[in-house]
Amino acid sequence: AQSVSQHNHHVILSEAASLELGCNYSYGGTVNLFWYVQYPGQHLQLLLKYFSGDPLVKGIKGFEAEFIKSKFSFNLRKPSVQWSDTAEYFCAVKENYGQNFVFGPGTRLSVLP
Amino acid sequence: DSGVTQTPKHLITATGQRVTLRCSPRSGDLSVYWYQQSLDQGLQFLIQYYNGEERAKGNILERFSAQQFPDLHSELNLSSLELGDSALYFCASSVAWDRVSRGELFFGEGSRLTVL
């Protein structure tokens, strides 16, 4: 069965610091990859997604993620975080032609003003 | 606004009771997913329906059941409620063709259930 791990449970950064959140998955076939964000008290929203092509994916709000197939990783990055990025971030994986989305446990990001 | 509608937004009930949560997917989406989010368990997949048929089952208790109706809305029924069932229940929908799906999930705002 597929599984998704996220390296950090809680990350605390100051504004303007750079961010990298790790995500690894276990599945040998072709996958679709997603990062979702959940702001406090809100629902999950899509940040970015990877289906095929350029492994460096750009999403909303200045976020990007890099798919490294050999490492089964899809790490999320942002060069300079803002207080408004405080949220929980979820990595998710889906088989290319499947319908089963598997979510990681989430990483809580706190950005200090 | 994701286009996925969930009702009720908040629900407070007592142990042993039964509740029904409702979800209307985005227009055109055939697939509906239910997730439970609690502090200690994270985001847990419960069940998925595609065009009225159950497609995948996750960590759904026997006390819970769901269905998707011909108009594609879905209901999650939770019965014999326990304190530990208190959680945020999310519905999500996606564009899905039979066995071929490249769409992302669109989440509703969730139904917060509190069992006292």
Side-chain angles (χ1 to χ4, degrees), chain A:
Chain A
Q2 294 177 52
S3 66
V4 179
S5 62
Q6 293 184 236
H7 302 174
N8 308 96
H9 179 64
H10 189 192
V11 172
I12 302 173
L13 295 173
S14 298
E15 275 195 314
S18 64
L19 170 71
E20 180 159 3
L21 301 182
C23 171
N24 285 90
Y25 64 92
S26 65
Y27 180 68
T30 305
V31 294
N32 304 148
L33 298 156
F34 308 84
W35 275 97
Y36 281 83
V37 61
Q38 185 179 26
Y39 297 104
Q42 296 189 25
H43 62 286
L44 277 78
Q45 304 169 45
L46 183 71
L47 266 183
L48 46 79
K49 60 187 177 184
Y50 172 81
F51 288 138
S52 62
D54 188 345
L56 186 61
V57 180
K58 294 196 184 301
I60 61 171
K61 304 187 181 188
F63 285 91
E64 65 178 31
E66 185 175 12
F67 170 50
I68 303 179
K69 189 175 180 180
S70 61
K71 295 185 177 180
F72 299 89
S73 71
F74 190 55
N75 292 354
L76 181 71
R77 299 194 291 248
K78 185 171 183 178
S80 175
V81 294
Q82 301 173 313
W83 177 78
S84 59
D85 293 324
T86 295
E88 185 136 20
Y89 292 80
F90 294 90
C91 180
V93 174
K94 182 180 73 66
E95 294 175 48
N96 195 26
Y97 292 111
Q99 298 183 41
N100 183 24
F101 290 78
V102 179
F103 281 82
T107 296
R108 186 154 64 101
L109 173 65
S110 299
V111 180
L112 306 176

